[in-house]
Amino acid sequence: MLVLGIESSCDETGVALYRLTPGSHDYRSGLLGHALHSQVRMHADYGGVVPELASRDHIRRIVPLIDRVLDEAGCALAALEGVAYTAGPGLAGALLVGASFAKGLAMSRGLPTVEVHHLEGHLLSPLLAVDPPRFPFIALLVSGGHTQLMRVDGVGRYALLGETMDDAAGEAFDKSAQLLGLGYPGGPALARLAEDGQPGMVKLPRPMLGAANLDFSFSGLKTAVAIAARQPKAARKEDLAAEFQQAVVDVLVTKSLAACEQAGLTTLVVAGGVGANAQLRAALTARARAHGIRVHYPELALCTDNGAMIAFAGALRLASGREPSLSFSVRPRWDLQGLTAP
Ligand code: KG4
Ligand code: ZN
């Protein structure tokens, strides 16, 4: 089944073509092409995503991106067998662009559509890697809006084990980066700055590290960065960035390994934008190995928002059969654990 996937939940327009071969576990070879347009430069002047500008830009980008992906894959529009789109969570206007385009295209060609949960896309993206994980596994979902530990028993079979009480890990990276004058989006910039710094020169808290649960809290850490940066004899920005990153990594690694141990599982999957963080990858892989746990990551290009994960998750769901329908809605707020198996 050949599926076109469309992602437009935030500040990236992503499009991909995925061909699902039933029964095959070689998911990677089904990805025939994907293309992305990032709006980062457009929003940078405002210090964050401006929802209305995001929606308008998705409208501009979506058709050229689809043309490019079809062209590069050597596929005709007529070959499509289904259309998948991100229905939530995300910015309502931005979601509506992808949803209404997907519905219009599908209707005009008599194709079925499928709504994809953005986080399910992230969660399943490591299956597109060279050596994919097998169910069941523990997933650490770390994006700009979410920080969750889930038990994953199969597609649509998700149990929430713990989540952030306030800011997401990516949000803490972005806000701390802003406090350090790094602009938007701050995560990658803060990580680069941290390379020249030394953790431990300033001391920041490891929130909820000792709590007897799998929940997180990152807003206090961001406040601690703000206070440390304002001290009369403030530490070097590089050292503050390095300590901040180390604090986030310490908490994420410890809780992820605790989740694996509590569930009795030895496969851990990391997904979402913060999963691109090199320090997190290095620390997690090393500490997991000592516990007999294997960690799987999506390839770097599929860590942050992209169309490939939406086409893939959509193909898995569409393969189970969906009727074309004219009605649609988007869900700016949508709980992942409310999903059911296709
Ligand atoms: O998954 P994603 O692309 O979008 C959401 O669904 O939110 O995640 C974006 C988040 C942003 O907060 C960004 O700063 C963070 O991921 N991020 C990083 C890195 N790359 C992206 N954070 C730390 N280190 C990175 N290398
Ligand atoms: Zn995302």
Side-chain angles (χ1 to χ4, degrees):
M1 163 165 265
L2 183 64
V3 175
L4 176 74
I6 299 173
E7 153 65 30
S8 71
S9 66
C10 189
D11 58 353
E12 252 121 23
T13 322
V15 166
L17 262 184
Y18 191 85
R19 188 188 299 282
L20 185 72
T21 309
S24 165
H25 284 283
D26 174 17
Y27 297 119
R28 185 186 165 81
S29 62
L31 183 59
L32 305 187
H34 69 110
L36 189 82
H37 175 79
S38 171
Q39 304 176 351
V40 156
R41 254 180 291 150
M42 183 181 76
H43 296 296
D45 288 346
Y46 304 91
V49 179
V50 183
E52 181 59 26
L53 292 183
S55 310
R56 293 181 195 199
D57 201 61
H58 286 307
I59 294 172
R60 273 197 293 272
R61 307 293 174 184
I62 209 160
V63 172
L65 283 174
I66 291 174
D67 284 345
R68 198 165 104 204
V69 166
L70 287 171
D71 239 35
E72 285 174 8
C75 275
L77 200 58
L80 294 183
E81 293 169 281
V83 184
Y85 62 93
T86 306
L91 302 170
L95 289 167
L96 276 169
V97 176
S100 46
F101 186 87
K103 281 288 178 182
L105 176 64
M107 225 182 284
S108 72
R109 309 208 65 89
L111 299 175
T113 55
V114 61
E115 305 184 327
V116 175
H117 193 297
H118 180 83
L119 294 179
E120 179 172 61
H122 276 304
L123 202 66
L124 299 178
S125 61
L127 295 178
L128 292 171
V130 178
D131 177 22
R134 292 285 180 117
F135 300 115
F137 53 74
I138 296 296
L140 172 67
L141 259 177
V142 270
S143 69
H146 293 82
T147 301
Q148 298 183 327
L149 276 164
M150 320 271 313
R151 181 191 164 103
V152 180
D153 285 292
V155 177
R157 297 171 61 201
Y158 312 127
L160 182 68
L161 305 176
E163 65 181 332
T164 184
M165 308 278 91
D166 39 59
D167 290 355
E171 190 178 356
F173 263 96
D174 293 338
K175 288 178 174 170
S176 299
Q178 194 116 40
L179 290 166
L180 296 175
L182 299 176
Y184 155 89
L190 192 149
R192 272 194 301 277
L193 187 68
E195 282 172 21
D196 300 324
Q198 181 76 28
M201 301 298 286
V202 219
K203 199 73 196 131
L204 294 176
R206 269 62 176 163
M208 296 183 74
L209 188 67
N213 58 34
L214 298 172
D215 291 328
F216 304 91
S217 165
F218 291 110
S219 75
L221 187 54
K222 162 203 69 194
T223 309
V225 170
I227 293 168
R230 265 194 254 116
Q231 295 303 311
K233 280 170 100 184
R236 288 168 66 228
K237 279 186 180 180
E238 291 83 349
D239 293 336
L240 200 45
E243 172 69 3
F244 166 82
Q245 179 172 255
Q246 191 62 53
V248 175
V249 167
D250 283 351
V251 177
L252 292 177
V253 170
T254 301
K255 298 252 172 176
S256 300
L257 299 184
C260 289
E261 257 153 40
Q262 285 174 26
L265 296 178
T266 53
T267 306
L268 175 66
V269 155
V270 180
V274 182
N277 186 272
Q279 177 68 18
L280 174 65
R281 287 182 172 226
L284 199 50
T285 301
R287 277 182 56 192
R289 194 178 298 129
H291 288 74
I293 294 165
R294 269 285 308 274
V295 194
H296 294 257
Y297 305 93
E299 62 178 85
L300 270 182
L302 303 186
C303 256
T304 44
D305 290 350
N306 64 84
M309 65 183 194
I310 303 305
F312 175 55
L316 290 175
R317 287 188 167 271
L318 264 179
S320 68
R322 266 318 124 101
E323 288 304 307
S325 136
L326 298 187
S327 69
F328 69 96
S329 60
V330 293
R331 308 178 201 198
R333 291 176 179 275
W334 191 5
D335 283 338
L336 184 61
Q337 64 274 25
L339 291 189
T340 53

